[in-house]
PDB file of all heavy atoms in Angstrom:
ATOM      1  N   ALA A   4      20.689   6.366   3.220  1.00  0.00           N
ATOM      2  CA  ALA A   4      20.751   7.041   4.547  1.00  0.00           C
ATOM      3  C   ALA A   4      20.465   6.015   5.680  1.00  0.00           C
ATOM      4  O   ALA A   4      21.088   5.980   6.729  1.00  0.00           O
ATOM      5  CB  ALA A   4      19.813   8.214   4.661  1.00  0.00           C
ATOM      6  N   GLU A   5      19.483   5.152   5.471  1.00  0.00           N
ATOM      7  CA  GLU A   5      19.104   4.142   6.446  1.00  0.00           C
ATOM      8  C   GLU A   5      20.293   3.183   6.614  1.00  0.00           C
ATOM      9  O   GLU A   5      20.580   2.820   7.719  1.00  0.00           O
ATOM     10  CB  GLU A   5      17.834   3.349   6.084  1.00  0.00           C
ATOM     11  CG  GLU A   5      17.411   2.445   7.192  1.00  0.00           C
ATOM     12  CD  GLU A   5      16.281   1.540   6.769  1.00  0.00           C
ATOM     13  OE1 GLU A   5      16.299   0.889   5.665  1.00  0.00           O
ATOM     14  OE2 GLU A   5      15.326   1.383   7.608  1.00  0.00           O
ATOM     15  N   ILE A   8      22.945   5.021   8.709  1.00  0.00           N
ATOM     16  CA  ILE A   8      22.557   5.204  10.160  1.00  0.00           C
ATOM     17  C   ILE A   8      22.515   3.867  10.883  1.00  0.00           C
ATOM     18  O   ILE A   8      22.903   3.772  12.023  1.00  0.00           O
ATOM     19  CB  ILE A   8      21.151   5.930  10.156  1.00  0.00           C
ATOM     20  CG1 ILE A   8      21.307   7.295   9.667  1.00  0.00           C
ATOM     21  CG2 ILE A   8      20.580   5.904  11.589  1.00  0.00           C
ATOM     22  CD1 ILE A   8      20.009   8.091   9.402  1.00  0.00           C
ATOM     23  N   SER A   9      22.046   2.844  10.243  1.00  0.00           N
ATOM     24  CA  SER A   9      21.994   1.513  10.869  1.00  0.00           C
ATOM     25  C   SER A   9      23.368   1.040  11.304  1.00  0.00           C
ATOM     26  O   SER A   9      23.551   0.517  12.416  1.00  0.00           O
ATOM     27  CB  SER A   9      21.388   0.514   9.948  1.00  0.00           C
ATOM     28  OG  SER A   9      20.016   0.808   9.579  1.00  0.00           O
ATOM     29  N   LEU A  14      22.549  -0.669  14.991  1.00  0.00           N
ATOM     30  CA  LEU A  14      21.119  -0.991  15.132  1.00  0.00           C
ATOM     31  C   LEU A  14      20.963  -2.400  15.741  1.00  0.00           C
ATOM     32  O   LEU A  14      21.582  -3.347  15.223  1.00  0.00           O
ATOM     33  CB  LEU A  14      20.439  -0.944  13.725  1.00  0.00           C
ATOM     34  CG  LEU A  14      18.985  -1.238  13.758  1.00  0.00           C
ATOM     35  CD1 LEU A  14      18.223  -0.106  14.484  1.00  0.00           C
ATOM     36  CD2 LEU A  14      18.526  -1.188  12.283  1.00  0.00           C
ATOM     37  N   THR A 164      10.959   0.139   8.240  1.00  0.00           N
ATOM     38  CA  THR A 164      12.290   0.563   8.898  1.00  0.00           C
ATOM     39  C   THR A 164      12.289   0.026  10.355  1.00  0.00           C
ATOM     40  O   THR A 164      11.247  -0.043  11.012  1.00  0.00           O
ATOM     41  CB  THR A 164      12.539   2.088   8.836  1.00  0.00           C
ATOM     42  OG1 THR A 164      13.834   2.294   9.327  1.00  0.00           O
ATOM     43  CG2 THR A 164      11.526   2.855   9.601  1.00  0.00           C
ATOM     44  N   CYS A 165      13.487  -0.277  10.824  1.00  0.00           N
ATOM     45  CA  CYS A 165      13.693  -0.582  12.211  1.00  0.00           C
ATOM     46  C   CYS A 165      14.291   0.647  12.971  1.00  0.00           C
ATOM     47  O   CYS A 165      14.426   0.531  14.178  1.00  0.00           O
ATOM     48  CB  CYS A 165      14.630  -1.805  12.367  1.00  0.00           C
ATOM     49  SG  CYS A 165      13.887  -3.313  12.038  1.00  0.00           S
ATOM     50  N   LEU A 166      14.585   1.664  12.200  1.00  0.00           N
ATOM     51  CA  LEU A 166      15.194   2.878  12.883  1.00  0.00           C
ATOM     52  C   LEU A 166      14.225   3.616  13.792  1.00  0.00           C
ATOM     53  O   LEU A 166      14.597   4.205  14.799  1.00  0.00           O
ATOM     54  CB  LEU A 166      15.730   3.845  11.823  1.00  0.00           C
ATOM     55  CG  LEU A 166      17.020   3.355  11.081  1.00  0.00           C
ATOM     56  CD1 LEU A 166      17.383   4.448  10.100  1.00  0.00           C
ATOM     57  CD2 LEU A 166      18.074   3.063  12.038  1.00  0.00           C
ATOM     58  N   ILE A 167      12.952   3.551  13.417  1.00  0.00           N
ATOM     59  CA  ILE A 167      11.886   4.212  14.159  1.00  0.00           C
ATOM     60  C   ILE A 167      11.214   3.209  15.050  1.00  0.00           C
ATOM     61  O   ILE A 167      10.698   2.234  14.534  1.00  0.00           O
ATOM     62  CB  ILE A 167      10.901   5.017  13.230  1.00  0.00           C
ATOM     63  CG1 ILE A 167      11.587   6.021  12.418  1.00  0.00           C
ATOM     64  CG2 ILE A 167       9.717   5.569  14.089  1.00  0.00           C
ATOM     65  CD1 ILE A 167      10.731   6.560  11.315  1.00  0.00           C
ATOM     66  N   ARG A 168      11.240   3.384  16.341  1.00  0.00           N
ATOM     67  CA  ARG A 168      10.715   2.393  17.286  1.00  0.00           C
ATOM     68  C   ARG A 168       9.276   2.622  17.446  1.00  0.00           C
ATOM     69  O   ARG A 168       8.415   2.011  16.860  1.00  0.00           O
ATOM     70  CB  ARG A 168      11.493   2.498  18.668  1.00  0.00           C
ATOM     71  CG  ARG A 168      12.965   2.286  18.501  1.00  0.00           C
ATOM     72  CD  ARG A 168      13.417   1.136  17.675  1.00  0.00           C
ATOM     73  NE  ARG A 168      13.125  -0.156  18.282  1.00  0.00           N
ATOM     74  CZ  ARG A 168      13.220  -1.320  17.635  1.00  0.00           C
ATOM     75  NH1 ARG A 168      13.498  -1.374  16.446  1.00  0.00           N
ATOM     76  NH2 ARG A 168      12.951  -2.441  18.314  1.00  0.00           N
ATOM     77  N   ARG A 184       6.159  -3.825  11.394  1.00  0.00           N
ATOM     78  CA  ARG A 184       7.126  -4.855  11.709  1.00  0.00           C
ATOM     79  C   ARG A 184       6.388  -6.142  12.176  1.00  0.00           C
ATOM     80  O   ARG A 184       6.719  -7.268  11.850  1.00  0.00           O
ATOM     81  CB  ARG A 184       8.102  -4.447  12.800  1.00  0.00           C
ATOM     82  CG  ARG A 184       9.207  -3.501  12.269  1.00  0.00           C
ATOM     83  CD  ARG A 184      10.320  -3.311  13.341  1.00  0.00           C
ATOM     84  NE  ARG A 184       9.843  -2.550  14.518  1.00  0.00           N
ATOM     85  CZ  ARG A 184       9.805  -1.204  14.561  1.00  0.00           C
ATOM     86  NH1 ARG A 184      10.217  -0.517  13.499  1.00  0.00           N
ATOM     87  NH2 ARG A 184       9.420  -0.599  15.626  1.00  0.00           N
TER      88      ARG A 184
END
Side-chain angles (χ1 to χ4, degrees):
E5 185 187 47
I8 292 169
S9 296
L14 184 64
T164 185
C165 282
L166 289 181
I167 299 170
R168 303 313 288 165
R184 282 191 294 273

